[in-house]
């Protein structure tokens, strides 16, 4: 078999019954499970969790859609999309820990969500960070960044035509704190859960969605302002009204 870093990583991080890694966790150094930015904050409408499509219909209808009409999302639909993707479902630990709509290995929640808004009613185009505790957006940069994201994603034109693009990063120390080198496996599993949530929520809301794994990492990292080391882009999605 040809040697690749992926194979080497998979072998090096296997659990062996007779050689399990021993890690003493220092709870005083446990990283926060979410981040907040300073800046203008936009609260989003409280999510409506009344049933629309059944789960089974949603699963059957789910597909990748790359053509968008250009019609804007309503503020209510947009807020529902973000909450369903990665919003808080309940709070614990003296109101400092938030369970999410997506599961996470060890309850560490390494994923952060950034949103490039192009066409949403009542929200100016810009790059935002999604606040889990406040279910709202913090403005990072003004402007429409669809063209830059498309160019950074191997010229996938749907990123220019979507209503919003979701950008998910991983804050690596959150998972490494507990799982060490094996944590990379769990981070990408977490991202998969978040991506599937997006597909199902978009489908239930009558929206089109397509997730994206092909992009120039450092170009996206630079655009959203993360260092690409301790926090780095791992997954993206375009969402909008289907054409």
């Amino acid at each position: 078999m040809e040697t690749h870093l992926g194979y080497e990583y998979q072998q090096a991080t296997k659990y062996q019954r007779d050689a399990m890694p021993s890690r003493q966790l220092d709870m005083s150094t446990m990283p926060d499970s979410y981040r907040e930015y300073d800046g203008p904050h936009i609260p989003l409408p409280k999510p409506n969790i009344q049933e629309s499509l059944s789960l089974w219909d949603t699963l059957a209808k789910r597909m990748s859609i790359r053509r968008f009409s250009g019609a804007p999302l309503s503020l209510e639909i947009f807020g529902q999309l973000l909450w369903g993707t990665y919003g808080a479902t309940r709070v614990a630990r003296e109101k400092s820990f938030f369970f999410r709509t997506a599961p996470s290995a060890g309850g560490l929640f390494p994923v952060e969500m950034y949103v490039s808004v192009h066409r949403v009613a009542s929200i100016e185009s810009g790059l935002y960070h999604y606040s889990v505790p406040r279910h709202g957006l913090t403005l990072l940069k003004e402007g429409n960044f669809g063209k830059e994201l498309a160019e950074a994603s191997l010229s996938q034109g749907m990123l220019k035509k979507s209503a919003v693009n979701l950008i998910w990063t991983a804050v690596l120390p959150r998972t490494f704190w507990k799982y060490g080198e094996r944590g990379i496996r769990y981070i990408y599993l977490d991202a998969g859960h978040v991506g599937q949530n997006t597909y199902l929520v978009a489908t239930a809301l009558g929206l089109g969605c397509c997730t994206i794994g092909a992009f120039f990492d450092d170009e996206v990292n630079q655009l959203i302002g993360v260092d690409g080391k301790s926090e780095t882009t791992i997954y993206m999605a375009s969402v909008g009204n289907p054409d």
Side-chain angles (χ1 to χ4, degrees):
M1 181 182 293
E2 189 177 354
T3 300
H4 290 287
L5 286 176
Y7 293 131
E8 294 176 9
Y9 174 79
Q10 189 73 13
Q11 294 299 315
T13 58
K14 282 183 176 179
Y15 279 166
Q16 304 289 346
R17 188 174 294 276
D18 58 350
M20 286 292 291
S22 177
R23 299 181 62 84
Q24 186 68 35
L25 297 181
D26 180 354
M27 299 305 293
S28 69
T29 64
M30 182 179 182
D32 292 334
S33 62
Y34 63 88
R35 70 178 303 177
E36 290 277 67
Y37 283 87
D38 294 327
H41 177 74
I42 300 174
L44 294 171
K46 183 178 179 180
N48 176 5
I49 57 174
Q50 298 302 313
E51 184 177 4
S52 51
L53 278 181
S54 75
L55 171 63
W56 309 114
D57 286 339
T58 303
L59 289 169
K61 294 176 182 295
R62 189 219 60 78
M63 66 177 66
S64 292
I65 293 176
R66 297 174 174 83
R67 295 176 63 88
F68 304 108
S69 68
L73 304 185
S74 71
L75 189 62
E76 291 73 21
I77 290 293
F78 178 57
Q80 192 86 354
L81 171 72
L82 297 189
W83 180 83
T85 292
Y86 202 52
T89 55
R90 61 192 191 279
V91 64
R93 298 180 196 165
E94 299 181 352
K95 298 185 178 181
S96 65
F97 179 83
F98 296 85
F99 291 94
R100 318 288 166 84
T101 55
S104 176
L108 299 171
F109 297 103
V111 175
E112 290 287 336
M113 182 161 65
Y114 298 81
V115 189
S116 178
V117 172
H118 308 152
R119 285 172 286 279
V120 175
S122 304
I123 298 183
E124 294 295 327
S125 295
L127 183 66
Y128 297 83
H129 173 259
Y130 176 69
S131 168
V132 171
R134 297 185 286 173
H135 180 53
L137 297 175
T138 303
L139 176 64
L140 303 180
K141 297 179 182 179
E142 296 179 343
N144 187 320
F145 297 97
K147 180 176 182 291
E148 289 87 343
L149 285 170
E151 291 176 351
S153 301
L154 284 62
S155 299
Q156 297 184 64
M158 62 186 172
L159 287 107
K160 292 187 289 186
K161 298 178 180 179
S162 57
V164 298
N165 292 318
L166 309 182
I167 305 164
W168 297 298
T169 67
V171 181
L172 304 179
R174 291 182 192 166
T175 300
F176 288 170
W177 172 80
K178 183 173 184 178
Y179 295 113
E181 296 300 324
R182 190 176 171 95
I184 288 288
R185 295 186 183 211
Y186 300 142
I187 285 169
Y188 283 100
L189 292 174
D190 279 15
H193 301 321
V194 175
Q196 179 70 339
N197 268 13
T198 307
Y199 268 118
L200 295 179
V201 172
T203 301
L205 293 172
L207 303 175
C209 171
C210 186
T211 53
I212 300 159
F215 48 83
F216 297 113
D217 304 58
D218 287 339
E219 292 184 16
V220 180
N221 289 334
Q222 183 177 10
L223 179 66
I224 64 176
V226 299
D227 63 13
K229 296 179 180 178
S230 64
E231 182 177 359
T232 190
T233 304
I234 54 172
Y235 205 12
M236 296 168 56
S238 287
V239 183
N241 286 295
D243 190 359

